[in-house]
Amino acid sequence: MNFIPLFFLAFLLQFCSSLSHHPLDPLSPTELNQIKLIVDKSSIGSLPNLTYHFVDLEEPEKIDVLSWLSSKKTNKNAQFRRAKVVVRAGGETRELVVDLASGSIESNRVYTGHGYPPFTFNEFVKASRLPFQYPKFMKSIVNRGLNMSEVSCVPLTVGWYGEKVTKRTLRMTCYYRGGSVNVYARPIEGISLFIDVDSMRITNYIDRFRVPVPKAEGTDFRSNKKIDPVTCNNATEKGFEIEGNNVKWGNWKFHVGFNARAGTVISTASIFDARMKKYRQVLYRGHVSETFVPYMDPESEWYFRTFMDIGEFGFGRSASTLQPLIDCPANAEYMDGYVAGADGQAMKMEKVICIFQRDAGDIAWRHAEINNPGTVIRSGQPEKTLVVRMIATVGNYDYVLDWEFKQSGTIKIGV
């Protein structure tokens, strides 16, 4: 009996499966877990404190993707799947390129530039627990007449002001629930905790002043769960097709991806020109690049709040599960997303993108001919659009992101 070598079988499966997929398809859960296996089995896997901070598709060259699209999908250069991976291990940040077909690490570079990769969700959780084991903090809470069981602490990034940074640091701010689920409305002012994330310990503690905690009344912003079918039922027919990550609607066709940093990624969007009898390229790749949130308050407890919500927290990692009939209408279809956790394992994020056709009662165009004797000729067309929606919840903010495709060939972006 003849046996096929395992590495060759893996290559064959990878190669054959890739031929049926768009080269910009996001990494599948199988691929994410394969990447973890490749890295863990390498010399990097033996280094202490290995954590995965970013895993995404290493995209093929644009020229290869466009060639693949135009040549009946025969360009193999666009098909080989690679991933870019950022890990921390042994106190260092490493940037890797992993070849999924060969099961090997093509590039392994220690990063020595400014800054650090995004914190993992696990690091945020561990840091948020530290104040509750810290005697000075517990004393400050008691001195304010507050109940420790009603306190929530949120780790925040610290910004950068030109100084040399040698440690991965978080700054903790704490809030008092005490009758409200809206913790951000009830800050416990005057207290600052600084945390060294690599050693996971509090390195500095300041209790500068005391002020009363704002009252809980009037801070609970929750809607009535009963949905009125009249107000939410503005859905039209479905009107579009989804095959994998490829969408067709009217004379549009485009690709929808998802990653941990940007969330929704729209690629290779083209519209059919009936006069030219061919598709015209409109957008090769589009996504949100960054969201900057500077609070501009000079107080010691506030000045550092200059958040980069996408680079530091990630819109994809912060994507909310969409609520049918609230976030998206009845005719919507949903897409799941996958990201790598701190341990490299694939994590499923359910219903993070919805796609729906919208008829808002607008007019695409209209005209009246009034100079013909005895008759007025009126004509026009109602406006129908296709919307690709995602919602990212970062801290106290809900970002609703819409990519709206119009019949005129326009792409409208709404935030």
Side-chain angles (χ1 to χ4, degrees):
M1 184 179 292
N2 294 323
F3 292 95
I4 300 174
L6 185 60
F7 78 89
F8 179 75
L9 183 61
F11 171 82
L12 193 63
L13 289 170
Q14 172 70 26
F15 178 76
C16 292
S17 64
S18 70
L19 290 178
S20 61
H21 294 127
H22 194 291
L24 299 180
D25 277 354
L27 295 168
S28 69
T30 301
E31 289 174 320
L32 288 168
N33 290 334
Q34 182 187 354
I35 292 162
K36 170 183 166 56
L37 186 63
I38 293 167
V39 176
D40 287 357
K41 285 191 172 184
S42 72
S43 59
I44 299 169
S46 63
L47 297 174
N49 302 319
L50 172 62
T51 52
Y52 290 76
H53 293 258
F54 183 75
V55 182
D56 192 20
L57 179 70
E58 175 74 1
E59 295 187 358
E61 294 293 332
K62 179 179 178 179
I63 189 172
D64 290 328
V65 174
L66 294 179
S67 174
W68 179 86
L69 287 169
S70 63
S71 61
K72 307 301 180 184
K73 305 169 179 47
T74 58
N75 187 325
K76 295 183 177 62
N77 287 336
Q79 285 297 298
F80 288 109
R81 303 279 281 177
R82 294 177 178 85
K84 49 188 175 184
V85 182
V86 178
V87 299
R88 276 189 63 81
E92 294 179 319
T93 301
R94 292 176 178 269
E95 297 178 318
L96 316 174
V97 176
V98 176
D99 186 332
L100 287 124
S102 65
S104 64
I105 297 175
E106 278 191 353
S107 173
N108 175 6
R109 185 173 73 92
V110 175
Y111 178 75
T112 57
H114 292 289
Y116 294 98
F119 295 101
T120 67
F121 180 73
N122 288 7
E123 288 171 332
F124 283 135
V125 171
K126 288 179 181 178
S128 68
R129 292 171 179 163
L130 291 178
F132 301 95
Q133 305 161 10
Y134 195 68
K136 290 182 180 180
F137 175 74
M138 292 188 284
K139 182 180 178 182
S140 294
I141 295 300
V142 171
N143 288 343
R144 284 167 168 77
L146 303 177
N147 185 347
M148 277 291 291
S149 65
E150 293 290 329
V151 175
S152 294
C153 290
V154 178
L156 302 175
T157 53
V158 297
W160 183 69
Y161 307 94
E163 74 278 17
K164 185 177 181 180
V165 178
T166 59
K167 293 183 178 180
R168 300 172 66 229
T169 304
L170 288 169
R171 189 163 173 172
M172 196 70 62
T173 58
C174 298
Y175 304 87
Y176 197 63
R177 299 189 304 278
S180 175
V181 297
N182 182 12
V183 297
Y184 292 99
R186 309 197 73 199
I188 304 172
E189 294 283 9
I191 297 176
S192 298
L193 299 98
F194 297 82
I195 293 170
D196 181 340
V197 176
D198 286 330
S199 64
M200 201 52 73
R201 63 186 182 89
I202 296 171
T203 57
N204 190 17
Y205 180 79
I206 301 170
D207 187 351
R208 198 166 70 89
F209 64 91
R210 299 180 201 172
V211 293
V213 175
K215 293 180 180 179
E217 288 78 18
T219 63
D220 195 350
F221 302 106
R222 280 186 284 185
S223 60
N224 188 339
K225 286 295 183 183
K226 187 177 180 180
I227 300 170
D228 184 351
V230 175
T231 60
C232 72
N233 193 22
N234 63 341
T236 63
E237 72 275 10
K238 177 185 167 184
F240 59 93
E241 299 175 12
I242 301 178
E243 183 178 343
N245 290 80
N246 300 297
V247 179
K248 289 185 178 180
W249 173 75
N251 48 2
W252 278 102
K253 63 178 182 179
F254 56 92
H255 181 270
V256 180
F258 179 86
N259 68 28
R261 179 187 168 97
T264 302
V265 180
I266 303 294
S267 302
T268 58
S270 300
I271 190 165
F272 188 75
D273 188 324
R275 185 170 57 86
M276 301 289 289
K277 296 183 179 179
K278 66 176 184 179
Y279 278 94
R280 295 171 57 183
Q281 296 170 13
V282 178
L283 175 72
Y284 178 72
R285 191 173 189 268
H287 59 82
V288 179
S289 293
E290 192 52 89
T291 305
F292 182 44
V293 190
Y295 278 70
M296 308 288 285
D297 188 322
E299 286 289 322
S300 174
E301 291 74 23
W302 284 86
Y303 80 92
F304 70 94
R305 304 184 196 214
T306 53
F307 306 120
M308 301 284 194
D309 277 354
I310 294 176
E312 293 182 314
F313 302 99
F315 267 18
R317 291 199 302 173
S318 306
S320 288
T321 296
L322 298 170
Q323 307 167 92
L325 301 184
I326 296 176
D327 298 325
C328 311
N331 64 325
E333 285 203 21
Y334 297 85
M335 297 176 70
D336 299 328
Y338 294 89
V339 299
D343 62 353
Q345 284 286 132
M347 296 172 55
K348 182 179 181 180
M349 305 184 70
E350 294 187 352
K351 292 185 176 180
V352 289
I353 294 173
C354 72
I355 303 173
F356 58 92
Q357 181 172 286
R358 177 157 64 192
D359 182 356
D362 295 330
I363 302 168
W365 69 271
R366 70 99 63 197
H367 184 61
E369 295 287 358
I370 60 174
N371 295 309
N372 294 274
T375 184
V376 175
I377 303 171
R378 299 181 182 89
S379 56
Q381 185 177 345
E383 177 79 293
K384 290 185 179 181
T385 63
L386 188 75
V387 178
V388 180
R389 174 172 293 166
M390 187 196 85
I391 299 176
T393 301
V394 186
N396 198 31
Y397 295 82
D398 295 86
Y399 296 96
V400 183
L401 297 149
D402 283 356
W403 291 80
E404 187 173 8
F405 293 80
K406 293 176 172 284
Q407 295 160 309
S408 61
T410 301
I411 302 175
K412 180 182 177 182
I413 303 166
V415 183

